[in-house]
Amino acid sequence: MLDAQRLRNLRLLANTTARHLAEDPLLLAVQSARRLPPATRGRLAQAVGAGAGHDSVRLALGAFLADQPAQARRALETAEPRTAAGRRLALELAVQLGRVSPDGAALLPPTVLARELWSRGRLHEAVAALDGVRGAQAQRARLRSQLATMSPGFMLPPVSPAPAWAGPDKDGAMRVLHVLTNSFPGTQSGYAVRSHAVLGAQRSAGIEVRAVTRIGYPVTVGLVGADGEDVVDGITYRRLLPPSLAPTPAARLVQTTRLLAREVEAFRPHVLHTTTNFQNALVTRAVAQSYGLAWVYEMRGVLEQTWVASRPVEQQEQALASERFGLLHDKETEMALAADAVVVLSEVQRADLIARGVPEARIRIVPNAVDDAVLSVPTVAGADARAALGLPREGFWVGSVSSLVEYEGFDLLLEAVARCRAQGVDVRCLLVGDGVSRPGLEARAAQLGLGPDTCVLPGRVPPRDAISWYQALDLFCVPRRDTPVCRSVTPIKPFTAMALGRQVLVSDLPALREVAARGAGSLFPAEDVVALATALASASRSEDSGNVAVHGHNGARTAPADLPTWSQNGSVYGAMYEELR
């Protein structure tokens, strides 16, 4: 029999699904498809397009559901839908794929036009498109509410502490409550990896820590069996799981403050610590001020630049000049100015915040780092690690352990590998992880003639096995594209590769230069496939001759001595919290 928590979860998921189905059914479809195993998703896409002619919109829909946007765009360009339902589907796909022309926009129904304008960052126009439209009241209310939360000066109302609230123990150990977007075990992203590392480092430094994730998570991403609490490696993650979510973004943030207040009263922290984006900051600020607590804003990414990177390349200049970009930039700055302390990951981010007017004394750099335990992992040759995983011993293997998204530039890496092989250099590729770009990367590898012995994409692997996949690589590559977000934000995974003695090659971008400098990594011009192929071939020859960059006894590679570690970071956090106590 289902217990009360599972019943609440089912109600919550049904409520969320119904809202998304009404607001954006195609986006719900693709997000649901992403939860399926790759093979199942592929069969679903094939079934959708089965028997369709070359001019059928179903071909575009199948490619869209399979996360192959380039193929979906090509299919949409040749589609000639003959029914009203087919024409409506083509319009919806055009919005999702960023393929609505100015003439086409005039043909969109108001509800679809509003989504198109919003996706391009024209926020007030999107709301205005729904003025007086029958049946669009809920969509208009949601967009108005979302716009309000981004607007200058928007704050959430305070919450009222319980009469028994006595504040944190002034003489006890430091207690910090972290407010997160997602976490282990439900999410294995770089964000979740860093969060878990931060919490572990702080606990090792003598700080009592606990984390709370965003309202509805992880049920709203399909994990109906979620409990109200998960404990991973001794770290407690609390879940805010009401029976239903408030109908608008601003109302959900208010709902979150009330649930977070209960966690504050139960844990009695000295400091609240949250991470980007501004919605987390709005909630944390309101609760911290209500309880007289200090709060920290950790800006791991640059929200407005990440949004620009998600747009089609030909629309990114327009996105940079959009209303949405300006509002997000200013709102993130507003939150940084309001926080008692701000944490960033790099010198590049620090300089950006100072330019925005954030006092230098309030900014701390806490870089991505390597787990101290990784430093003591025995050296394993790449060929031996590959053999243990069932991969070929031969060849020079390059790749990454990462989320597979467009701005990471892994399609460029595939092309560079193919160039090397065409020149007789036995370079092979291994890309560990999952993401929206994975189907496209698999298709591109096939087009380039990279078979299963020369290009492997195993998908997401259990965290306990990740080290073995790092060790299977001879060179760890970060071929990020030259976009604003990639110039600003540092990745976490290269530090683990460096600690395991692997060569590291990264795009020559400001944030990645900081990473390379930490471990004697190499650089190549961003988005230059020829230069990347040349660098890979050179690294392969160096490996063959034993002339690798960093050596230990008997020629075995060792980790660079100046890598940042999480134990060091734990001390930095501890000192910062004591200043705020």
Side-chain angles (χ1 to χ4, degrees), residues 379-417:
T379 300
V380 175
D384 293 339
R386 290 193 292 274
L389 293 168
L391 300 175
R393 297 179 62 90
E394 59 271 21
F396 181 75
W397 287 73
V398 304
S400 185
V401 180
S402 174
S403 295
L404 304 184
V405 294
E406 196 275 339
Y407 64 74
E408 291 288 356
F410 292 130
D411 57 326
L412 305 175
L413 180 60
L414 294 180
E415 292 180 27
V417 169

Side-chain angles (χ1 to χ4, degrees), residues 511-530:
L512 294 178
R513 284 182 215 129
E514 290 187 39
V515 173
R518 289 281 190 169
S522 301
L523 304 167
F524 74 94
E527 300 190 51
D528 188 332
V529 172
V530 174

Side-chain angles (χ1 to χ4, degrees), residues 97-100 120 311-320:
L97 295 167
R99 282 297 182 269
V100 178
R120 289 179 179 263
R311 301 299 300 157
V313 173
E314 66 273 14
Q315 295 180 18
Q316 290 184 3
E317 285 299 321
Q318 181 187 67
L320 284 167

